[in-house]
């Protein structure tokens, strides 16, 4: 049994570069042969169009590992980019990453030089 930190959810998979036409049922169908699926979800834009990213919660860590081993780095029909399949980050890990990103943005803003524009003064009647 491998070591998993509290930053990984060992029964939840993150999948990226999915075909944009894929829906929750399509993701379920694609992964059903690997084990019992608890739930699937395709992330959608406000328009309802797929973002090409989804999640699948499997019954066991072993089923998740089988999906990763079989599909990560492969090409899905109707898609040119390689499929990314990995254990999903936990909420704690996502919040930590968001905090780090925000801190990096603040540091970058502090490093950016202040842009000073020339000031033109017009004196009338002198």
């Amino acid at each position: 049994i491998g070591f998993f930190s509290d930053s990984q959810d060992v029964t939840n998979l993150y999948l990226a570069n999915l075909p944009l036409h894929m829906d929750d049922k399509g993701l379920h169908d694609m992964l059903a042969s690997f084990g019992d699926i608890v739930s699937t979800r395709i992330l959608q834009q406000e328009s309802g169009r797929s973002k090409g990213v989804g999640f699948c919660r499997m019954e066991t860590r072993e089923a998740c590992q089988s999906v990763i081993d079989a599909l990560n780095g492969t090409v899905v029909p109707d898609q040119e980019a390689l499929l990314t399949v990995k254990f999903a980050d936990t909420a704690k890990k996502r919040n930590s990453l968001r905090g780090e990103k925000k801190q990096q943005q603040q540091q970058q803003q502090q490093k950016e030089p202040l842009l000073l524009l020339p000031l033109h003064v017009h004196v009338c009647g002198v």
Side-chain angles (χ1 to χ4, degrees), residues 45-61:
Q45 300 172 7
E46 288 183 25
S47 66
R49 185 174 175 179
S50 169
K51 291 184 176 183
V53 173
F55 292 90
C56 177
R57 183 168 299 279
M58 305 288 290
E59 190 68 34
T60 66
R61 183 201 70 78

Side-chain angles (χ1 to χ4, degrees), residues 104-123:
Q104 288 172 351
Q105 289 172 341
Q106 289 172 343
Q107 288 173 347
Q108 183 63 33
Q109 288 173 351
Q110 291 172 355
K111 290 179 184 177
E112 291 177 3
L114 181 60
L115 179 61
L116 299 176
L117 299 175
L119 180 62
H120 296 283
V121 178
H122 295 279
V123 179

Side-chain angles (χ1 to χ4, degrees), residues 3-118:
F3 171 77
F4 291 94
S5 69
D6 62 354
S7 65
Q8 292 177 315
D9 185 339
V10 297
T11 59
N12 196 23
L13 293 172
Y14 167 85
L15 299 97
N17 298 324
L18 295 167
L20 295 179
H21 62 77
M22 185 172 282
D23 59 10
D24 293 347
K25 183 182 181 323
L27 181 58
H28 184 280
D29 293 347
M30 183 175 92
L31 303 177
S33 66
F34 292 97
D36 293 332
I37 295 173
V38 175
S39 63
T40 56
R41 187 176 72 151
I42 297 288
L43 299 185
Q44 298 178 342
Q45 300 172 7
E46 288 183 25
S47 66
R49 185 174 175 179
S50 169
K51 291 184 176 183
V53 173
F55 292 90
C56 177
R57 183 168 299 279
M58 305 288 290
E59 190 68 34
T60 66
R61 183 201 70 78
E62 292 78 16
C64 288
Q65 189 63 57
S66 293
V67 174
I68 292 169
D69 292 343
L71 298 180
N72 187 46
T74 62
V75 177
V76 178
D78 302 324
Q79 191 70 7
E80 293 179 18
L82 296 179
L83 188 62
T84 297
V85 184
K86 64 179 187 172
F87 288 104
D89 292 335
T90 62
K92 181 178 178 180
K93 174 71 173 181
R94 286 190 307 274
N95 290 337
S96 174
L97 290 173
R98 284 185 192 125
E100 288 173 15
K101 186 175 180 179
K102 186 175 181 178
Q103 185 178 23
Q104 288 172 351
Q105 289 172 341
Q106 289 172 343
Q107 288 173 347
Q108 183 63 33
Q109 288 173 351
Q110 291 172 355
K111 290 179 184 177
E112 291 177 3
L114 181 60
L115 179 61
L116 299 176
L117 299 175

